[in-house]
Amino acid sequence: MRIQIAIIALFLGIALSTSLKAGTDITISGLSSGAFMAVQMHVANSATIRGAGVFAGGPYYCAKGSMMTAMTS
């Protein structure tokens, strides 16, 4: 529930900052599975999000599109 609220708040922040032209101070962070999501969000919205704090997560495209790689690496 908290992650969903944080994601909704983030999207609202991006929408407001884009409309107000004040998107220079938006960052995202996450812990564990939230860190993987933070990396995805940062890559997908790199023009708007200034940086990402990733704690106990992984890099973008770490599974390389393969379920076997994701489960074994």
Side-chain angles (χ1 to χ4, degrees):
M1 182 71 170
R2 285 184 178 175
I3 290 176
Q4 292 170 339
I5 292 170
I7 292 170
I8 291 168
L10 176 69
F11 281 121
L12 288 175
I14 290 171
L16 289 173
S17 68
T18 303
S19 65
L20 298 174
K21 305 286 189 227
T24 59
D25 294 329
I26 295 175
T27 61
I28 187 169
S29 60
L31 172 66
S32 190
S33 62
F36 282 93
M37 182 174 272
V39 170
Q40 297 291 321
M41 190 71 174
H42 185 240
V43 170
N45 298 291
S46 60
T48 307
I49 298 176
R50 185 175 184 179
V54 179
F55 303 97
Y60 178 76
Y61 201 61
C62 61
K64 301 177 182 98
S66 167
M67 182 62 78
M68 187 58 75
T69 301
M71 300 299 286
T72 60
S73 296

